C-alpha cells in the first residue's frame, strides 16, 4: 500500500470482563467520583459515568455470570488528556480479567475520497490480508457529501467471525454530521480485536505494536522502526505512576453538592410540609448510625475463626 505508517495509534474502545465475585468495580467507581465524573443511570448497565465536555461514557455491567467494564472513545480521550489513563488501567488490573474488546485507531490526515480511491486501486479484487488471512473488503453507507464527493465505510472482516476486524471511514464527515464540528480532512482506520486475540492492558495503553501486527503490510508501505514484533503477554498486572490520594473531605463535599439523589430527597421533604425536613434528618441520621455501627460480635467471632484456620 502507499499509506505512510504513523506511531500515533490510540485506543478508542476498551471492554474488560471479570468474574462476578472478583472485580474492581468499587475501586473504579470511587476513583471516578473523586475525579469529577458524573454518575448517570444507563438503561442496560448497572452503573454509568460521563467524563469531560464531550460526556465520554464509562459503563459497568454486572450479572451472575460476569462483570464488564466498558470505556468508550470520548472517555478514553479525556483520560489520556488529563493523564489518568494509566491510573484507570492500574485499577482494572487489580483482579484477574480478560480484554474482550480493544479498538486501536489511527487517524490519517487525508481526505476520505482520496483515501478511498487509493484503497480501491490497491485492492481491485476487494481482498485484503488482515493478519494471516485474506478478508473481503466490504463497502457500505456509500453516499455523497455536500461537496459531491463520495464517502462510505469499509469493513475488513466481520465481528464475531475471527479474532479481528477493521473499519475505515470518513472521520471528518462523521464529526460534521454528529457534532457539527469542522475539522481538516481526516480518515480513520480502526482495528477491533476480540478476547481470542490475547490483547492486554499494556496494549490498551500503547496499541501501536498490536495495530501494525494485525494490519501489517496490507495497508502501510513503510514499517515504523520503533514498532516491535507483537506477541500476547497475557499479563494481568499494570503499573503506572503512583496515584495521588484525593482529599476525602473535598471529595465528600463535592459529591453531596452534585448529588441528584439528595436534591430529590429535598424536593420530597418539601412536599411533605413542615415535618418534611425533620423526617429527612431523622432518616439520614438513622442511615448514618447504621453505617457507623461496629461489626457484630458474631461477625467478629466468625472472622477470628477463619483466621485461625
Amino acid at each position: 500500500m502507499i499509506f505512510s505508517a504513523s506511531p500515533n495509534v490510540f485506543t478508542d474502545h476498551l471492554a474488560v470482563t471479570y468474574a462476578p465475585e472478583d472485580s474492581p468495580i468499587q475501586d473504579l467507581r470511587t476513583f471516578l467520583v473523586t475525579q469529577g465524573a458524573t454518575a448517570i443511570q444507563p438503561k442496560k448497565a448497572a452503573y454509568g459515568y460521563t467524563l469531560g465536555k464531550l460526556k465520554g461514557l464509562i459503563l459497568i455491567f454486572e450479572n451472575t455470570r460476569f462483570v464488564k467494564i466498558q470505556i468508550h472513545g470520548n472517555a478514553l480521550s479525556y483520560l489520556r488528556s488529563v493523564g489518568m489513563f494509566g491510573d484507570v488501567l492500574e485499577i482494572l488490573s487489580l483482579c484477574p480479567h480478560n480484554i474482550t474488546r480493544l479498538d486501536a485507531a489511527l487517524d490519517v490526515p487525508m481526505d476520505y475520497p482520496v483515501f478511498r480511491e487509493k484503497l480501491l486501486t490497491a485492492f481491485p479484487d476487494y481482498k485484503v490480508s488482515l493478519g494471516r488471512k485474506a478478508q473481503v473488503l466490504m463497502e457500505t453507507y456509500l453516499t455523497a457529501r455536500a461537496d459531491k464527493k463520495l464517502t462510505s465505510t469499509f469493513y475488513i472482516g466481520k465481528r464475531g467471525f475471527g479474532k479481528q476486524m477493521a473499519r475505515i471511514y470518513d472521520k471528518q464527515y462523521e464529526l460534521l454530521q454528529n457534532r457539527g464540528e469542522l475539522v481538516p480532512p481526516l480518515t480513520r482506520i480502526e482495528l477491533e480485536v476480540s478476547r481470542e486475540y490475547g490483547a492486554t492492558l499494556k496494549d490498551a495503553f500503547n496499541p501501536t505494536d498490536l495495530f501494525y501486527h494485525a494490519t501489517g503490510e496490507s495497508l502501510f508501505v513503510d514499517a515504523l522502526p520503533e514498532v516491535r514484533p507483537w506477541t500476547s503477554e497475557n499479563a494481568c498486572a499494570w503499573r503506572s505512576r503512583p496515584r495521588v490520594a484525593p482529599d476525602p473531605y473535598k471529595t465528600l463535599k463535592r459529591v453531596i453538592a452534585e448529588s441528584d439523589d439528595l436534591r430529590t430527597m429535598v424536593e420530597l421533604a418539601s412536599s411533605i410540609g413542615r415535618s418534611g425536613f425533620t423526617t429527612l434528618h431523622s432518616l439520614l441520621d438513622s442511615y448514618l448510625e447504621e453505617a457507623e455501627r461496629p461489626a457484630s460480635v458474631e461477625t467478629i467471632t466468625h472472622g477470628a475463626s477463619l483466621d485461625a484456620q
Side-chain angles (χ1 to χ4, degrees):
M1 278 303 295
I2 57 174
F3 307 124
S4 294
S6 164
N8 301 321
V9 182
F10 56 93
T11 297
D12 197 48
H13 188 100
L14 180 63
V16 189
T17 55
Y18 302 85
E21 67 276 4
D22 189 15
S23 79
I25 284 181
Q26 195 53 53
D27 297 87
L28 180 62
R29 293 183 65 199
T30 300
F31 178 78
L32 291 174
V33 169
T34 61
Q35 299 301 324
T38 301
I40 61 171
Q41 185 53 60
K43 291 182 179 180
K44 295 183 179 180
Y47 308 101
Y49 296 88
T50 59
L51 289 166
K53 292 182 179 179
L54 295 178
K55 300 187 183 300
L57 190 61
I58 298 179
L59 297 175
I60 300 174
F61 300 84
E62 189 176 24
N63 59 39
T64 57
R65 297 184 298 112
F66 64 86
V67 164
K68 180 168 72 171
I69 296 172
Q70 188 170 288
I71 310 179
H72 292 239
N74 286 335
L76 289 164
S77 178
Y78 175 81
L79 291 170
R80 285 190 294 267
S81 70
V82 297
M84 293 195 306
F85 189 31
D87 297 332
V88 170
L89 291 178
E90 185 174 346
I91 292 171
L92 297 181
S93 76
L94 293 174
C95 304
H97 58 271
N98 287 303
I99 308 295
T100 45
R101 177 179 167 185
L102 190 156
D103 290 7
L106 175 66
D107 286 335
V108 180
M110 183 184 294
D111 197 16
Y112 181 81
V114 176
F115 194 108
R116 176 178 178 272
E117 184 178 345
K118 292 177 180 293
L119 192 67
L120 293 176
T121 300
F123 303 108
D125 60 352
Y126 284 76
K127 292 287 183 68
V128 182
S129 294
L130 194 62
R132 299 178 181 178
K133 196 173 181 181
Q135 303 277 1
V136 176
L137 182 67
M138 297 182 293
E139 186 174 23
T140 61
Y141 308 116
L142 188 65
T143 187
R145 306 188 311 193
D147 60 4
K148 308 301 181 183
K149 295 179 180 179
L150 291 176
T151 185
S152 65
T153 298
F154 282 101
Y155 291 91
I156 306 171
K158 189 176 181 181
R159 184 178 295 161
F161 293 85
K163 300 177 182 179
Q164 74 254 354
M165 64 169 292
R167 292 176 291 274
I168 303 173
Y169 60 95
D170 191 342
K171 189 63 179 178
Q172 180 193 38
Y173 181 74
E174 184 206 53
L175 290 174
L176 181 62
Q177 293 295 109
N178 294 345
R179 295 188 207 160
E181 186 177 337
L182 292 172
V183 299
L186 202 62
T187 296
R188 175 164 293 186
I189 304 172
E190 284 182 353
L191 169 74
E192 178 182 323
V193 299
S194 65
R195 170 180 174 175
E196 289 74 22
Y197 206 91
T200 68
L201 293 177
K202 179 182 177 182
D203 297 313
F205 187 74
N206 183 0
T208 304
D209 296 343
L210 170 67
F211 181 85
Y212 287 111
H213 174 79
T215 56
E217 298 177 357
S218 296
L219 297 175
F220 302 96
V221 68
D222 51 350
L224 289 167
E226 60 267 34
V227 172
R228 298 163 298 178
W230 180 88
T231 56
S232 175
E233 297 184 8
N234 293 316
C236 265
W238 168 263
R239 292 293 176 263
S240 67
R241 58 180 172 76
R243 297 199 304 274
V244 177
D247 185 315
Y249 171 76
K250 290 181 179 178
T251 301
L252 177 62
K253 185 177 180 181
R254 182 175 54 76
V255 170
I256 290 174
E258 297 176 359
S259 172
D260 289 333
D261 288 337
L262 274 178
R263 280 193 282 271
T264 301
M265 292 179 199
V266 170
E267 292 172 2
L268 289 171
S270 298
S271 68
I272 292 175
R274 286 186 178 181
S275 63
F277 286 99
T278 302
T279 301
L280 178 59
H281 277 291
S282 176
L283 291 171
L284 288 175
D285 286 342
S286 298
Y287 179 85
L288 293 175
E289 286 174 6
E290 184 67 27
E292 290 177 335
R293 188 172 299 166
S296 65
V297 174
E298 180 182 350
T299 303
I300 293 173
T301 305
H302 179 64
S305 65
L306 287 177
D307 292 338
Q309 291 176 10

